[in-house]
Amino acid sequence: MTTTPAASPTNDWLRLDQQICFSLNAASRAFGGVYRVILKDLGLTYPQYLVMLVLWEHGELPVKKLGEHLRLDSGTLSPLLKRLETAGLVRRERSVRDERSVEVRLTDEGVALRERAVEVPRRILGATGFDLDEIRALRERLDQLTGALDSATLDEA
Amino acid sequence: MTTTPAASPTNDWLRLDQQICFSLNAASRAFGGVYRVILKDLGLTYPQYLVMLVLWEHGELPVKKLGEHLRLDSGTLSPLLKRLETAGLVRRERSVRDERSVEVRLTDEGVALRERAVEVPRRILGATGFDLDEIRALRERLDQLTGALDSATLDEA
DNA sequence: CACAATTCAATTGCCCACAACTAAATGGCC
DNA sequence: GGCCATTTAGTTGTGGGCAATTGAATTGTG
């Protein structure tokens, strides 16, 4: 029973190794592996590290804003922030100005963790084998791709 | 540990918008959104679609081989394959030659689904706004990156 | 002021990813 | 043949991502 494995050129469209998204996905998960090793010392997962980056950069901000920076919704952020709070890195407090909103801010411990995180990007860069210019070029390409895909998603909806 | 560019530029290293991995992650999730819309008609999620691609290309094969093609382990594949089996697209059967192994093969329905899947890559390509050469170049770049990251992960371990 | 629409966080439910472990089968080796 | 390391799927537990829903607070409008 041989269900004719792709023989004709037209079938190449469905070949796994031609799918850009697979390469993207694989790269994303490969990064996950590297970050897992490097962030273990800090007690952070990669998405938690991203949240900390935003907080280190912007100081306190509501969950909504955090989500906009990271393209994540409350369904992802709420449990993640609880774990960061349990770890003692952030506090969550209802805004007094708008009680629908929850302000997320760093604890002293969360602020202090930044000192140990500054070396992470350099170690990641080393793991990629790329130089800064190559990284920047790739990043711009990917951001362009993300923009196009987001527009396309809206069009379909 | 040489002193990198002095005090203030050091801050830039931790800026979210400079992290290649964030761009990668965002692009990967943006793809997820597009695939979710396009694959809804086929009743597949994106990882399930990847599994079907491999099966369409190679015919039946054991879970182990499937995992090697997709860089996924049994912890991910086992429940996923159960869902595909429930959906009537694949069958799982213990190999008679090696009873540790489980052969995954397409049902007639699974084979038939291929006809409706052939248009998916073209629609995805359209959503990216890239042409084939650009896609190929980006894919090669990403595969190169994945290779470097995988090596780095092994080094750390 | 009253009421409808909107905004926001949280929850639920489903699926994916991965580490760690279990259990069974295989194959090599004495 | 009997023992043991290896191979292979499967299970469990933790965490992330997202759609859909809930419920409370706010804002807009008549």
Side-chain angles (χ1 to χ4, degrees):
Chain A
M1 136 121 192
T2 43
T3 41
T4 43
S8 75
T10 50
N11 287 342
D12 286 353
W13 283 87
L14 281 182
R15 281 186 42 184
L16 180 65
D17 59 9
Q18 296 218 345
Q19 308 269 332
I20 176 65
C21 188
F22 178 72
S23 292
L24 203 57
N25 216 308
S28 184
R29 283 185 287 129
F31 255 123
V34 175
Y35 271 108
R36 193 171 304 118
V37 172
I38 293 181
L39 292 177
K40 184 185 289 184
D41 292 342
L42 305 184
L44 294 175
T45 66
Y46 175 65
Q48 291 167 5
Y49 168 71
L50 290 183
V51 168
M52 295 301 286
L53 283 185
V54 175
L55 291 173
W56 286 325
E57 188 174 342
H58 292 97
E60 82 181 53
L61 70 181
V63 175
K64 184 73 191 310
K65 292 290 180 189
L66 207 46
E68 287 171 3
H69 282 290
L70 297 168
R71 295 168 176 271
L72 294 173
D73 70 1
S74 64
T76 300
L77 286 176
S78 288
L80 188 156
L81 291 171
K82 277 188 189 172
R83 285 186 281 272
L84 286 182
E85 188 170 43
T86 301
L89 298 175
V90 306
R91 275 197 313 273
R92 293 177 303 145
E93 296 167 2
R94 286 275 159 196
S95 166
V96 277
R97 293 193 19 191
D98 183 343
E99 292 204 357
R100 295 169 303 180
S101 181
V102 170
E103 297 283 333
V104 182
R105 73 191 63 188
L106 294 167
T107 61
D108 292 344
E109 194 177 344
V111 172
L113 192 63
R114 189 180 191 282
E115 297 306 313
R116 297 205 286 142
V118 290
E119 68 172 45
V120 171
R122 194 178 36 76
R123 294 179 65 187
I124 294 292
L125 180 64
T128 64
F130 284 26
D131 64 33
L132 276 178
D133 283 342
E134 290 172 317
I135 288 290
R136 188 171 39 73
L138 182 55
R139 194 164 44 68
E140 286 168 1
R141 207 88 179 107
L142 290 170
D143 291 345
Q144 178 188 357
L145 181 59
T146 300
L149 291 170
D150 283 347
S151 312
T153 306
L154 295 181
D155 292 347
E156 300 267 354
Chain B
M1 180 155 314
T2 54
T3 60
T4 34
S8 82
T10 308
N11 289 342
D12 289 349
W13 283 84
L14 282 181
R15 283 188 39 185
L16 182 65
D17 59 7
Q18 297 217 346
Q19 309 269 331
I20 176 65
C21 188
F22 178 72
S23 292
L24 203 58
N25 217 309
S28 184
R29 283 184 287 126
F31 255 122
V34 176
Y35 271 108
R36 193 171 304 118
V37 172
I38 292 181
L39 292 177
K40 184 185 284 185
D41 292 342
L42 306 184
L44 294 175
T45 65
Y46 174 65
Q48 291 167 4
Y49 168 72
L50 289 183
V51 168
M52 296 300 286
L53 282 184
V54 176
L55 291 173
W56 286 325
E57 188 174 343
H58 292 97
E60 81 182 53
L61 72 181
V63 175
K64 183 71 190 309
K65 292 291 181 189
L66 208 45
E68 287 171 4
H69 281 291
L70 297 168
R71 295 170 177 269
L72 293 173
D73 70 2
S74 64
T76 300
L77 286 175
S78 288
L80 188 157
L81 291 170
K82 277 188 190 172
R83 285 186 283 271
L84 286 182
E85 188 170 43
T86 301
L89 297 176
V90 308
R91 274 196 314 273
R92 293 177 304 146
E93 296 168 1
R94 284 279 160 192
S95 166
V96 277
R97 293 193 18 190
D98 183 342
E99 292 202 357
R100 295 168 304 179
S101 181
V102 169
E103 297 284 333
V104 182
R105 73 191 63 188
L106 295 167
T107 61
D108 291 346
E109 194 177 343
V111 172
L113 192 64
R114 189 179 192 283
E115 298 306 313
R116 296 205 285 142
V118 291
E119 68 173 45
V120 170
R122 194 180 35 75
R123 294 180 64 186
I124 294 292
L125 181 64
T128 65
F130 284 26
D131 64 31
L132 276 178
D133 282 342
E134 289 172 318
I135 288 290
R136 188 171 40 73
L138 181 56
R139 194 163 43 69
E140 286 169 0
R141 208 87 179 109
L142 290 170
D143 291 344
Q144 176 189 357
L145 181 59
T146 300
L149 291 170
D150 283 346
S151 311
T153 308
L154 295 181
D155 292 348
E156 299 267 352

